[in-house]
Amino acid sequence: MKTPVVELSSCILCEICVELAPHAFAINDAGFVEVLPLDDYSDGDIHEAIKNCPKDCITWE
């Protein structure tokens, strides 16, 4: 199963991923975007979040 990965050095913390897929992305206590653990990342909202990232810093691994 593919998992989304956030390249933190490119992330501008726009929070689009968190807005579009809050079940998969969150801002952690350190103030960075993190991918939340899920059994399945095939949800359409996750794909929309990745597609709409303005810095293209979310990729599949």
Side-chain angles (χ1 to χ4, degrees):
M1 169 186 61
K2 295 191 300 184
T3 304
V5 176
V6 179
E7 178 55 55
L8 297 177
S9 64
S10 300
C11 180
I12 59 171
L13 296 172
C14 69
E15 297 189 33
I16 287 175
C17 57
V18 176
E19 289 175 24
L20 292 175
H23 61 288
F25 300 98
I27 303 295
N28 64 21
D29 292 339
F32 296 104
V33 173
E34 70 175 321
V35 178
L36 301 175
L38 298 176
D39 291 331
D40 182 12
Y41 293 98
S42 64
D43 182 273
D45 291 340
I46 297 170
H47 291 278
E48 281 299 309
I50 293 170
K51 185 173 83 173
N52 287 290
C53 177
K55 297 303 256 178
D56 293 323
C57 63
I58 308 171
T59 57
W60 290 105
E61 184 174 277

